[in-house]
């Protein structure tokens, strides 16, 4: 149960005072009935967004919320980095949500593909924690032809990246073409994929993540598109 004014304020609809004014102006309805008391206690059922309206529109999905996005090129994953961020692709009001939304790991500005965004700290931790070995798969386009030796170099668990003190965990490389490969890693070190190819004398010219665990980037999600991740899809991440 949550107080209506706190629920709406936490979803970014305004301060407690502002959302109380919305209620006073008969702008909030539950099951088609106007709610008159900003202090009303609301049961946080999964179907709440389809039962409650604010100014005639369905309530934003309450926490915990996880989104799947097809991150386009040229947007950043951090609030602090310069440039347009993935958060700007979401509704403006969501920037004021509490708990706030954060990306699960990061993709570089010049990397596209599957990105998860959540306000669920426990879920975020499960996905990024090295203990859970969640596989992340990337399609990599390279500047120079692959010579095939990279497969063993990446698989043997001894590759050391510049200025690091522990070797990388084994990674799986599938060669798809002269300059095209799929790389699956279970860690998330800084610029890991680009640095792995730099370590074998190559250079990544395009990078796209197409899978996390057994969750693939859906074909109907174009660059910049996003939607709420279903519980079944969440489960695929750990399958
Ligand atoms: N590895 C990289 O180098 N960049 C990414 O964006 C993701 C993995």
């Amino acid at each position: 149960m949550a107080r209506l004014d706190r629920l709406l304020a936490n979803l970014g609809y305004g301060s407690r005072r502002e959302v109380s004014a919305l209620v006073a102006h008969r702008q909030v309805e539950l099951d088609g009935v106007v709610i008159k008391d900003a202090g009303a206690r609301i049961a946080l059922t999964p179907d709440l967004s389809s039962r409650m309206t604010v100014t005639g529109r369905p309530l934003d999905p309450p926490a915990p919320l996880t989104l799947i996005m097809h991150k386009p090129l040229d947007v950043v994953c951090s609030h602090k980095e310069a440039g347009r961020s993935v958060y700007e692709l979401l509704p403006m009001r969501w920037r004021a949500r509490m708990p706030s939304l954060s990306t699960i790991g990061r993709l570089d500005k010049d990397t596209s593909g599957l990105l998860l965004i959540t306000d669920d700290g426990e879920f975020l931790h499960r996905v990024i924690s090295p203990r859970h070995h969640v596989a992340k798969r990337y399609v990599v386009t390279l500047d120079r032809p692959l010579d095939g030796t990279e497969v063993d170099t990446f698989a043997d668990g001894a590759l050391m990246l510049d200025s690091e003190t522990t070797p990388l965990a084994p990674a799986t490389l599938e060669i798809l073409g002269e300059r095209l490969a799929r790389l699956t890693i279970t860690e998330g070190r800084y610029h890991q994929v680009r640095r792995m190819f730099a370590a074998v004398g190559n250079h990544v010219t395009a990078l796209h993540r197409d899978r996390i665990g057994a969750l693939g980037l859906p074909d109907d999600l174009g660059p910049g598109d996003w939607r709420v991740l279903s519980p079944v899809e969440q489960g695929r991440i750990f399958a």
Side-chain angles (χ1 to χ4, degrees):
M1 298 285 260
R3 271 183 66 107
L4 177 63
D5 51 2
R6 184 170 299 144
L7 171 69
L8 295 181
N10 285 347
L11 289 175
Y13 285 94
S15 64
R16 293 277 282 277
R17 184 190 294 249
E18 285 163 342
V19 300
S20 295
L22 272 179
V23 175
H25 286 95
R26 306 171 61 85
Q27 296 298 306
V28 184
E29 294 185 13
L30 182 61
D31 298 326
V33 179
V34 171
I35 308 181
K36 298 198 180 98
D37 175 11
R41 300 209 157 257
I42 307 294
L44 295 175
T45 55
D47 60 355
L48 194 58
S49 297
S50 61
R51 294 174 50 218
M52 186 177 280
T53 56
V54 181
T55 59
R57 291 161 175 270
L59 179 75
D60 291 345
L65 173 65
T66 298
L67 308 173
I68 178 170
M69 178 183 279
H70 183 161
K71 179 195 170 293
L73 295 173
D74 296 324
V75 298
V76 297
C77 284
S78 154
H79 291 291
K80 291 181 197 138
E81 242 177 290
R84 193 160 175 246
S85 83
V86 291
Y87 302 103
E88 291 173 52
L89 302 175
L90 304 177
M92 177 89 140
R93 179 165 58 236
W94 290 19
R95 286 176 225 172
R97 283 175 68 107
M98 289 290 286
S100 58
L101 289 162
S102 7
T103 64
I104 301 185
R106 289 186 187 163
L107 291 178
D108 301 333
K109 189 173 183 180
D110 45 1
T111 302
S112 58
L114 200 174
L115 181 69
L116 299 171
I117 300 175
T118 192
D119 59 14
D120 181 344
E122 210 169 292
F123 176 68
L124 183 148
H125 188 74
R126 268 182 79 203
V127 180
I128 63 174
S129 157
R131 271 196 308 130
H132 289 99
H133 302 286
V134 172
K136 282 142 291 199
R137 193 173 81 176
Y138 295 86
V139 178
V140 192
T141 309
L142 295 150
D143 190 30
R144 285 185 274 283
L146 290 150
D147 63 20
T149 59
E150 302 87 350
V151 174
D152 287 343
T153 307
F154 291 168
D156 75 6
L159 185 65
M160 196 76 94
L161 294 179
D162 259 359
S163 71
E164 295 207 357
T165 51
T166 48
L168 291 174
T172 307
L173 184 69
E174 300 161 77
I175 297 183
L176 305 177
E178 200 183 41
R179 291 177 168 80
L180 188 67
R182 234 176 354 223
L183 178 65
T184 303
I185 59 176
T186 56
E187 300 170 289
R189 303 198 199 184
Y190 183 66
H191 291 332
Q192 182 168 336
V193 176
R194 293 175 203 276
R195 290 165 72 212
M196 285 174 76
F197 282 98
V200 294
N202 213 322
H203 176 73
V204 172
T205 55
L207 189 55
H208 176 83
R209 182 159 67 192
D210 70 345
R211 190 176 275 253
I212 297 181
L215 175 71
L217 182 64
D219 289 339
D220 63 354
L221 215 56
D225 290 349
W226 57 271
R227 60 172 167 73
V228 175
L229 192 70
S230 71
V232 171
E233 290 172 315
Q234 283 201 27
R236 278 193 207 131
I237 293 167
F238 305 104

